[in-house]
Amino acid sequence: MSDPVSPLSGARYDGFATVREIGPLGMITLRAKTGTPGLEASVMAATGCEMPAVRHVVVNGANAAGWMSPDETLLVLPYADVAGALSKIADAMKGQHHLAVDVSDARAVFRVEGAKADQVIRKLSPVDVDLLQPGELRRSRAAQVAAAFWADEGGFTVVCFRSVAAYMFGLLSTSARPGAEL
Amino acid sequence: MSTRLKSGGRLIDRSASLEFTFNGKRLKGYAGDTLAAALLANDQMLVGRSFKYHRPRGIVASGAEEPNALVNLGSGARLEPNQRATTTEVFDGLQATSQNHWPSLEHDVGVLNNYAARFLPAGFYYKTFIHPRAAWKHVFEPIIRQSAGLGRAPKDRDADRYEQAYGFADLLVAGGGIAGLQAALVAARAGARVWIVEQTAVWGGRAPVDGDVIDGMPAATWVDAAVTELASLPNVTLRVRTMAAGVYDHGYVLLDEKVADHTPGDGRPKHRLWRMRVGRIINATGAIERPLSFAGNDIPGVMLASAVRDYVVNWAVSPGDRTVVVTNNDDGYRTAITLKEAGMDVPCVIDARVRADGALPARARGLGIRVETGRGIAKVKGGKRVEGIEMCLQAGEGAASSFIACDAVAMSGGWSPVVHLWSHCGGKLTWDDAHAFFRPDATRPPITHDGSAMVYAAGAANGALHEALADATHRAKIALQSLGMTAETATAPAHDLPEESPMEAVWIMPQGAPIALKAKMWLDYQNDVKVSDVQLAAREGYESVEHTKRYTTLGMATDQGKLSNINGLAVLAGSLNTEIPLVGTTTFRPPYTPVTLGALAGEARGEIFQPLRKTPMHDWHEKNGAYFEPVGYWRRPYCFPRAGETHEQAVHREVLNTRSNVGLLDASTLGKIIVKGPDAGRFLDMLYTGVMSTLPIGKCRYGLMCNEQGFLSDDGVVARIDEDTWLCHTTSGGADRIHGWMEDWLQCEWWDWQVFTANVTEQYAQVAVVGPKARKVLEKLGGMDVSKEAVPFMGWADGTLGGFPVRVYRISFSGELSYEIAVPASHGAAFWAACVAAGAEFGAMPYGTEGLHVMRAEKGFIMIGDETDGTVIPQDLGLDWAISKKKADFLGKRGQERSFLASADRWKLVGFETLDGSVIADGAYIIDAGVNANNQRKVQGRVTSTYHSPTLGRGIAMGLLRHGPVRMGEVVEFTKLDGSTVKAKVVNAVFYDKDGEKQNV
Amino acid sequence: MLILECPYCGVKAEETELSPGGEAHLKRFGPGSSDADFEAYMFARKNPKGVHFERWRHAYGCGKWFLAARCTATLEVFGTYPAQTSEPPAEIIANIMAKRPAWKGFK
């Protein structure tokens, strides 16, 4: 079998901020209501992360767990670890109503980096970036498509659907063009 | 003549000389000049021709309110029409040309309209050219189109780029004059997140020009200190060249930032549209001076008094050597004083008031300026330039008492607060008799999400012409209070201004002017609307101000009547013998000044005009010559034409090859939704018309979804994965919609049911391997048993193929042996390539969506969006077999029981074969005998899918026909585009392999 | 352009992050219902000038449907609340009564 390829094979643009497509990353959508027995243990077993608070993401090295909705958690982990993580979740949540699915291939992930990386976000999403709390995961839109992002060291991680990866890369790089600093 | 003064000019840098052109003429200006200032400095008073009469027009104003000085800026890919010279900053190499004239600005043929003015009265569009009918289209309209309009739309693609950005603030201050700066200071010191924007390149507004003294220092010094302090605060954002274009619901404000208008081609975005969300808005947009209505008030050289002052003080430009000032208030005297002190001649100040004994008139008299009270201008003499004025009694009928030679007239009719931002979202106005203007009524503000005031007007914009700083301080305090912040200790700086006597409203000069004079009194310069036009409209019964506006076009030009509105409605009120407040104002609508379309489009152009969804195999398709078609936001290959092939030929080849060998289809766009939970079976039974809860694990079943009205909404194959998990396939365009539909019912109706869904459409690339040799291709890939026994028709299995982890579904949309194979999208391109390679020896070819359509039509399979259009129920399509009779309820069941849908007379699906073998036209109707009430041919059905079948070598079609299935063998007639009809026989909709043997092998 | 606070995730979302879903608190009538009831469920909408209850989905956010009470004339928002209820919560009603004393109440 071939190696998995991310939608843009690691495209990169250097403007006043740097835009890099990263991945493929492992991602699991875990749907279960907050408080379901075994949910916190599942998140810990799959990612080593504590259960994220409302609208927050917990980052643990290459792993992360993000609050997506009252009954959905996004788990981020190495691509190769997904199958193992799914079986750990199945064990931890045995007998509990839940849904855990591999969505690693359904997403495109970008890093927007540099001192002015926030300006790229400010041009695309109707989000008050100044008021984002540390570790806040914001689901919104970037121009015309759904996107989720959070700030971490040196910039932002931006996640969107795979099919619109080229559109998102176009948005991010256009917004990061030199001379267009806010 | 207008000229540059030897000294002065607070905004120009005389050491930085610039060169620009106007109508090809090379002219010089200085850094800091506006185009209008630089034109005047070069004695270019004539700048354009008026819209309707092509009268010579000059610069009237010094800011955004300018109605006349609209020019073409730049050329080619950087051509911008209708740019105001008064707000355009001059840069080296600027190219400007005047508009609305032919062959030249100086000699314009269109001026004939001026002499034909009596044929072009108010509303002439509606009454002059009605008869004869044919003449409108061939004579009148072409002539009017030729003579109307200002600038020409650019032909080239815009070379510049634009962008948008989102901004947030507690308080947005619109206007960077002293009131705005003071409000911003109060709010910033209180810790609020503040934005302050100024439409020009310079902070301070009028106060530095008018010589105000603030806290004992010249206004300019105070402004510098204020800006320095604001810039030093981390909670403040300052933006010049940024116009607050509009205020919308819940604190939404659009700002147009002219980033690089003055530095074209430097690589920066030309404009940036800020989409702001703010808690409160301080409307500190100042006031605009009003013209006076006297005959010839549009002749080049007649200008607003405040503008004359601006040109002298800011840019050291004198509009004339001899300037007559005409006023109805004390403020106008400032211009006379300024001109005199700059060494220019002011022959006379004509004051319409009987008395002028305030501090400013006294100063003017002290400088030796002649002041005539109780007088007005009867008429301005001159053509392309003012030559003099005839003075008369203001109370009279315009009999000239004396002639005064001059080359400029500075007029001041009083001031009007700029209330646009206050009014955009419903803020109400109140009439202020003392100043004769509308000002914001603080008791009726526009409100925001919590019912509190959203906009606070401050300073001159609030009608506080003389107490701007105190008013701004006060308004900022209450705005902050409403945000839960406090600025109790803030005080207004001392603001020393000379006392002013009351102004007196003058709407027509002289008061008893006869029609001959009124027909030369311009209200709206840009649209050529005169006092006589408004009076005519009133006489003809247009009593509502909104009607008069549209009938006369008063205020409908690109300046939206910034100068003309109040004068116009005062004239209307006078004609109707009523009070101005009873006439009211027309609605203020955004944008305040025009915003270029590029800024509104922002980044959405070219490659990122809209999101294009691409499958993992998209690159392969592109490299292999695919011709794409849009399916929702997806781009799917329509066909893969080879060298020399038409699209039609390619489709035929792809179909025949698939039917005889094997075809490969990229089916990745197919919607895939996982539904899981103890109640998932029950839920799907509600969602689908059929029963999904009984589907055995490992099997697939075709299902239909209807909306609550009963109309067919989506279809697809459902696979049972395990005890409590189903995978629902939807149409390509339907995945998000159906996922949303599922979540709607789960969240809002059956919220106690234990079901989770996940849209995994993009997780998988899906390849359909279709045709009699499909199994051979899979066997060649190897890795799992794909025999009929291991993976039977309508079954599925997990395994590997060619080393890829796959899930294989035995489902067929073509009628052939078919496997739909799902692989993780990250392996999609590689798996597709593996299929192409493995298929080579079996003659595998990719096929596109058109081939798919042809093959499904040959099989009589319906397509959502072709056979359905939101008015079709499954029963219409003969799909009763897919509707459960046993279920007590499913979405759409009740709707389908309605008498009209249950009627036996509905149009139902059948197949059609033309007698001559031709292809029925898309959208063709089946005609019936007789005509309806509108004398249109009656119809009894229509085609829904129609193709040339390469398999059968003839045209085939499906369609809806009244009582269709019981009319087999009958011949009906379809309409054709040429008006004739084509005969077709009603047949079974399954044209190919009627028993379905080929797919089940 | 409205701002509505999503009661699930707390985001004060602007309208472009939301998708509208029409009138709230409709009672579904299925098989066996009278023509009049079905017609009312399917087609009869209040469309008031004033207090109104409507459905919104936080489409570009957490994906949840919520309900909003607002004034259609002034766009004042009286509150938002989760969709899992057949009538407006008491505190929303109280908020509306406080601001619109003449309001006839939720029927």
Side-chain angles (χ1 to χ4, degrees):
Chain A
M1 187 174 75
S2 60
D3 289 330
V5 289
S6 65
L8 303 178
S9 307
R12 179 186 173 110
Y13 175 81
D14 291 292
F16 70 75
T18 298
V19 179
R20 288 189 294 128
E21 193 223 1
I22 59 171
L25 286 183
M27 285 196 191
I28 294 170
T29 286
L30 175 55
R31 295 203 59 181
K33 287 202 167 105
T34 311
T36 304
L39 176 57
E40 293 185 17
S42 293
V43 172
M44 181 58 76
T47 62
C49 295
E50 298 287 337
M51 188 71 193
V54 172
R55 241 166 62 209
H56 276 69
V57 60
V58 178
V59 178
N60 172 23
N63 296 356
W67 188 96
M68 299 294 273
S69 88
D71 55 13
E72 183 179 336
T73 312
L74 177 69
L75 308 179
V76 182
L77 60 167
Y79 189 88
D81 295 354
V82 169
L86 282 171
S87 74
K88 285 180 199 162
I89 293 167
D91 287 345
M93 307 243 2
K94 208 172 185 87
Q96 298 295 332
H97 171 47
H98 76 287
L99 169 62
V101 283
D102 181 2
V103 292
S104 313
D105 305 273
R107 307 281 162 81
V109 190
F110 297 89
R111 287 283 299 159
V112 184
E113 293 164 328
K116 293 176 178 167
D118 63 300
Q119 296 188 4
V120 176
I121 304 294
R122 287 174 205 267
K123 292 181 190 183
L124 297 172
S125 298
V127 172
D128 193 343
V129 174
D130 292 331
L131 296 191
L132 288 180
Q133 299 158 15
E136 182 167 345
L137 182 162
R138 184 65 150 84
R139 300 180 72 180
S140 181
R141 61 178 177 83
Q144 302 171 57
V145 295
F149 57 84
W150 61 88
D152 44 22
E153 215 163 304
F156 288 78
T157 301
V158 180
V159 181
C160 69
F161 284 109
R162 181 188 189 102
S163 64
V164 293
Y167 173 73
M168 180 64 84
F169 185 71
L171 289 178
L172 294 171
S173 45
T174 299
S175 301
R177 270 174 65 176
E181 295 87 347
L182 292 181
Chain B
M1 63 183 289
S2 62
T3 181
R4 181 86 69 182
L5 302 171
K6 287 273 181 303
S7 62
R10 55 184 284 267
L11 301 183
I12 54 169
D13 177 359
R14 288 184 193 255
S15 68
S17 188
L18 305 171
E19 200 172 84
F20 68 101
T21 64
F22 179 71
N23 287 344
K25 200 159 52 170
R26 292 156 80 96
L27 302 172
K28 281 205 180 338
Y30 293 122
D33 265 334
T34 64
L35 178 56
L39 287 171
L40 287 173
N42 287 279
D43 196 27
Q44 185 66 51
M45 181 56 89
L46 175 63
V47 290
R49 293 275 175 168
S50 72
F51 188 77
K52 202 157 114 182
Y53 303 124
H54 292 245
R55 286 173 62 93
R57 288 287 165 78
I59 294 159
V60 171
S62 56
E65 68 276 23
E66 172 62 38
N68 287 344
L70 302 184
V71 296
N72 298 306
L73 271 191
S75 60
R78 287 213 158 83
L79 171 65
E80 274 194 294
N82 293 345
Q83 297 303 297
R84 285 172 307 284
T86 50
T87 57
T88 299
E89 294 173 55
V90 171
F91 52 87
D92 214 23
L94 177 148
Q95 295 171 285
T97 55
S98 51
Q99 304 182 152
N100 204 32
H101 51 70
W102 185 85
S104 76
L105 178 60
E106 293 291 331
H107 306 283
D108 178 17
V109 170
V111 76
L112 285 172
N113 287 1
N114 195 17
Y115 307 112
R118 68 191 179 89
F119 302 116
L120 301 169
F124 76 95
Y125 308 102
Y126 308 115
K127 49 195 179 194
T128 305
F129 302 120
I130 300 300
H131 299 287
R133 283 314 256 198
W136 171 256
K137 189 170 179 197
H138 301 292
V139 182
F140 300 140
E141 189 184 3
I143 290 173
I144 289 173
R145 283 197 185 282
Q146 178 60 36
S147 63
L150 295 165
R152 293 267 176 264
K155 288 197 172 64
D156 297 348
R157 185 186 169 85
D158 194 336
D160 281 300
R161 66 190 172 114
Y162 304 83
E163 66 178 24
Q164 299 184 353
Y166 297 86
F168 298 83
D170 296 322
L171 195 77
L172 170 76
V173 181
I178 56 169
L181 289 169
Q182 172 63 10
L185 280 172
V186 170
R189 288 169 184 159
R193 217 166 23 144
V194 177
W195 271 59
I196 176 166
V197 297
E198 162 58 38
Q199 64 182 348
T200 72
V202 190
W203 298 103
R206 290 213 61 76
V209 176
D210 290 352
D212 292 15
V213 176
I214 301 172
D215 267 351
M217 51 183 133
T221 310
W222 183 87
V223 166
D224 287 346
V227 171
T228 305
E229 179 180 346
L230 289 169
S232 73
L233 296 172
N235 53 327
V236 179
T237 303
L238 298 105
R239 299 259 167 183
V240 288
R241 301 187 177 95
T242 302
M243 185 257 306
V247 170
Y248 307 82
D249 309 322
H250 292 190
Y252 187 49
V253 183
L254 289 184
L255 308 178
D256 183 21
E257 181 180 11
K258 296 163 181 69
V259 180
D261 265 1
H262 59 302
T263 56
D266 73 347
R268 296 188 296 165
K270 185 170 167 64
H271 285 211
R272 177 180 295 125
L273 189 79
W274 286 95
R275 303 170 68 165
M276 302 292 297
R277 283 287 184 176
V278 302
R280 298 288 181 267
I281 297 143
I282 299 266
N283 177 15
T285 47
I288 291 176
E289 196 169 24
R290 291 194 293 258
L292 286 165
S293 300
F294 47 83
N297 63 350
D298 72 326
I299 293 171
V302 180
M303 299 172 69
L304 294 174
S306 58
V308 170
R309 212 145 78 221
D310 285 339
Y311 286 114
V312 173
V313 176
N314 285 337
W315 298 288
V317 169
S318 160
D321 300 331
R322 288 168 59 81
T323 305
V324 166
V325 175
V326 55
T327 185
N328 64 350
N329 61 75
D330 279 7
D331 183 60
Y333 287 83
R334 284 196 170 93
T335 299
I337 295 164
T338 300
L339 285 167
K340 194 76 180 173
E341 288 180 344
M344 312 307 293
D345 192 7
V346 181
C348 183
V349 175
I350 300 173
D351 194 326
R353 298 172 298 180
V354 179
R355 294 170 53 144
D357 44 15
L360 289 165
R363 258 181 75 191
R365 288 190 179 99
L367 289 168
I369 299 171
R370 170 182 164 204
V371 174
E372 292 279 354
T373 57
R375 308 285 160 144
I377 290 179
K379 191 186 282 181
V380 179
K381 294 293 212 180
K384 290 175 194 161
R385 186 70 210 237
V386 171
E387 290 159 10
I389 59 113
E390 286 177 355
M391 191 162 64
C392 65
L393 283 174
Q394 167 59 18
E397 294 184 353
S401 60
S402 64
F403 175 82
I404 303 174
C406 60
D407 54 2
V409 176
M411 59 184 166
S412 178
W415 291 80
S416 293
V418 177
V419 296
H420 297 65
L421 300 180
W422 170 270
S423 303
H424 282 165
C425 239
K428 298 290 184 279
L429 303 173
T430 184
W431 178 253
D432 182 324
D433 238 354
H435 296 98
F437 57 46
F438 281 105
R439 61 176 167 77
D441 180 350
T443 65
R444 295 181 296 164
I447 65 160
T448 187
H449 64 97
D450 59 359
S452 63
M454 177 163 70
V455 182
Y456 292 81
N462 196 30
L465 296 181
H466 306 293
E467 312 82 24
L469 289 171
D471 187 59
T473 308
H474 176 60
R475 299 293 158 189
K477 278 185 183 178
I478 12 180
L480 286 168
Q481 214 165 40
S482 74
L483 289 168
M485 288 179 249
T486 175
E488 279 313 309
T489 55
T491 53
H495 191 191
D496 300 324
L497 289 171
E499 281 292 313
E500 289 187 29
S501 306
M503 58 91 71
E504 256 178 49
V506 170
W507 306 121
I508 294 177
M509 179 176 275
Q511 198 179 310
I515 185 71
L517 292 182
K518 286 183 197 167
K520 294 291 176 194
M521 291 179 190
W522 262 259
L523 291 168
D524 186 324
Y525 294 93
Q526 204 175 110
N527 264 0
D528 264 340
V529 183
K530 301 162 296 180
V531 167
S532 56
D533 293 322
V534 171
Q535 292 181 328
L536 176 68
R539 281 203 304 282
E540 294 190 346
Y542 291 89
E543 300 189 358
S544 153
V545 62
E546 295 284 1
H547 288 160
T548 299
K549 168 180 167 177
R550 282 153 185 82
Y551 194 59
T552 62
T553 73
L554 175 80
M556 287 173 67
T558 69
D559 63 346
Q560 292 189 68
K562 290 183 178 67
L563 295 184
S564 62
N565 269 342
I566 300 296
N567 287 348
L569 58 95
V571 169
L572 181 62
S575 307
L576 297 171
N577 272 321
T578 185
E579 301 295 318
I580 292 171
L582 296 178
V583 171
T585 64
T586 54
T587 309
F588 293 88
R589 290 199 172 84
Y592 176 61
T593 59
V595 176
T596 190
L597 286 175
L600 299 178
E603 83 295 332
R605 58 192 289 195
E607 289 285 307
I608 52 173
F609 169 64
Q610 63 175 16
L612 293 188
R613 299 178 71 181
K614 297 175 179 177
T615 74
M617 293 81 117
H618 190 91
D619 284 351
W620 190 95
H621 302 329
E622 270 187 353
K623 282 185 195 117
N624 287 272
Y627 170 73
F628 289 93
E629 72 163 343
V631 179
Y633 279 130
W634 291 104
R635 284 291 178 278
R636 299 190 69 184
Y638 174 94
C639 62
F640 294 85
R642 293 178 170 177
E645 263 184 350
T646 64
H647 293 165
E648 190 182 20
Q649 289 166 338
V651 169
H652 293 171
R653 170 181 50 76
E654 290 168 11
V655 168
L656 291 174
N657 184 67
T658 302
R659 292 248 184 257
S660 57
N661 293 310
V662 59
L664 301 172
L665 177 79
D666 177 359
S668 306
T669 59
L670 204 66
K672 309 162 199 85
I673 301 168
I674 292 176
V675 179
K676 184 189 179 201
D679 295 310
R682 177 189 180 196
F683 174 61
L684 293 178
D685 284 351
M686 282 302 293
L687 218 62
Y688 285 93
T689 60
V691 182
M692 291 301 167
S693 55
T694 59
L695 179 63
I697 294 168
K699 292 292 183 190
C700 301
R701 185 173 288 166
Y702 177 69
L704 306 172
M705 279 189 246
C706 295
N707 60 24
E708 274 286 65
Q709 295 218 48
F711 297 125
L712 189 51
S713 151
D714 207 77
D715 70 345
V717 169
V718 178
R720 180 81 175 262
I721 306 300
D722 61 31
E723 188 50 39
D724 63 356
T725 310
W726 282 255
L727 177 72
C728 303
H729 287 109
T730 75
T731 55
S732 290
D736 291 334
R737 179 173 55 89
I738 296 301
H739 184 235
W741 173 245
M742 289 177 171
E743 283 293 322
D744 191 352
W745 286 100
L746 288 171
Q747 291 176 33
C748 302
E749 187 72 19
W750 304 310
W751 59 76
D752 52 338
W753 294 14
Q754 290 199 306
V755 182
F756 283 127
T757 69
N759 184 352
V760 294
T761 300
E762 300 203 15
Q763 170 66 15
Y764 300 100
Q766 201 136 318
V767 179
V769 182
V770 180
K773 297 176 184 167
R775 188 171 284 135
K776 289 192 174 125
V777 176
L778 269 53
E779 284 166 353
K780 168 104 182 177
L781 283 168
M784 67 186 286
D785 184 355
V786 292
S787 65
K788 182 180 183 180
E789 293 70 30
V791 194
F793 182 54
M794 295 307 274
W796 64 268
D798 284 339
T800 63
L801 281 173
F804 293 87
V806 296
R807 176 168 287 165
V808 177
Y809 304 89
R810 269 292 304 279
I811 53 182
S812 178
F813 200 39
S814 57
E816 299 297 333
L817 169 65
S818 166
Y819 296 85
E820 293 207 3
I821 304 154
V823 295
S826 302
H827 298 291
F831 181 70
W832 174 266
C835 290
V836 170
E841 68 184 84
F842 307 104
M845 292 178 195
Y847 68 95
T849 50
E850 188 65 1
L852 171 150
H853 274 275
V854 171
M855 286 191 278
R856 66 94 195 165
E858 289 174 342
K859 278 295 292 176
F861 293 144
I862 65 135
M863 176 69 83
I864 298 295
D866 285 342
E867 274 63 44
T868 70
D869 63 356
T871 70
V872 170
I873 57 174
Q875 292 88 336
D876 296 339
L877 304 178
L879 294 169
D880 305 70
W881 59 269
I883 304 168
S884 167
K885 307 280 184 297
K886 291 186 204 140
K887 291 196 300 188
D889 192 5
F890 59 83
L891 298 182
K893 183 176 171 71
R894 175 65 183 83
Q896 289 166 3
E897 289 168 355
R898 288 178 293 167
S899 57
F900 179 73
L901 296 185
S903 161
D905 290 333
R906 286 187 67 80
W907 294 3
K908 299 217 174 204
L909 189 80
V910 286
F912 297 98
E913 282 179 3
T914 48
L915 300 189
D916 61 4
S918 64
V919 178
I920 296 168
D922 268 321
Y925 276 91
I926 305 167
I927 59 170
D928 201 354
V931 293
N932 67 13
N934 294 323
N935 208 30
Q936 295 160 325
R937 194 89 180 239
K938 280 188 179 174
V939 295
Q940 54 177 328
R942 62 184 167 87
V943 75
T944 54
S945 292
T946 170
Y947 300 96
H948 174 81
S949 163
T951 314
L952 305 173
R954 54 167 299 123
I956 61 166
M958 288 192 277
L960 297 164
L961 174 66
R962 187 186 305 125
H963 306 142
V966 298
R967 295 170 65 178
M968 290 296 162
E970 206 177 298
V971 172
V972 294
E973 283 182 67
F974 281 89
T975 54
K976 284 171 69 173
L977 287 175
D978 64 7
S980 65
T981 60
V982 59
K983 287 190 166 69
K985 192 164 77 171
V986 181
V987 297
N988 188 306
V990 184
F991 294 91
Y992 176 74
D993 186 26
K994 288 191 175 17
D995 298 326
E997 287 165 349
K998 289 180 183 292
Q999 62 198 12
N1000 192 11
V1001 294
Chain C
M1 194 162 61
L2 306 180
I3 290 182
L4 296 172
E5 181 170 336
C6 173
Y8 296 98
C9 66
V11 164
K12 290 183 175 63
E14 71 160 43
E15 210 172 309
T16 64
E17 297 180 276
L18 305 171
S19 56
E23 187 174 313
H25 302 305
L26 298 177
K27 178 173 164 37
R28 177 172 186 261
F29 284 93
S33 59
S34 69
D35 282 353
D37 281 345
F38 186 71
E39 183 197 15
Y41 160 53
M42 224 50 271
F43 304 113
R45 295 295 177 264
K46 295 194 178 87
N47 194 26
K49 179 179 182 183
V51 178
H52 192 42
F53 299 89
E54 54 195 12
R55 290 156 28 88
W56 289 88
R57 186 182 185 207
H58 193 187
Y60 281 103
C62 69
K64 296 301 180 196
W65 282 96
F66 63 88
L67 307 181
R70 69 176 180 100
C71 175
T72 57
T74 66
L75 307 189
E76 182 172 355
V77 179
F78 305 111
T80 56
Y81 50 100
Q84 292 77 40
T85 176
S86 53
E87 54 184 68
E91 59 172 291
I92 299 281
I93 298 281
N95 195 12
I96 299 170
M97 294 303 286
K99 293 184 157 183
R100 296 287 188 278
W103 181 53
K104 294 208 172 60
F106 175 79
K107 283 166 281 189

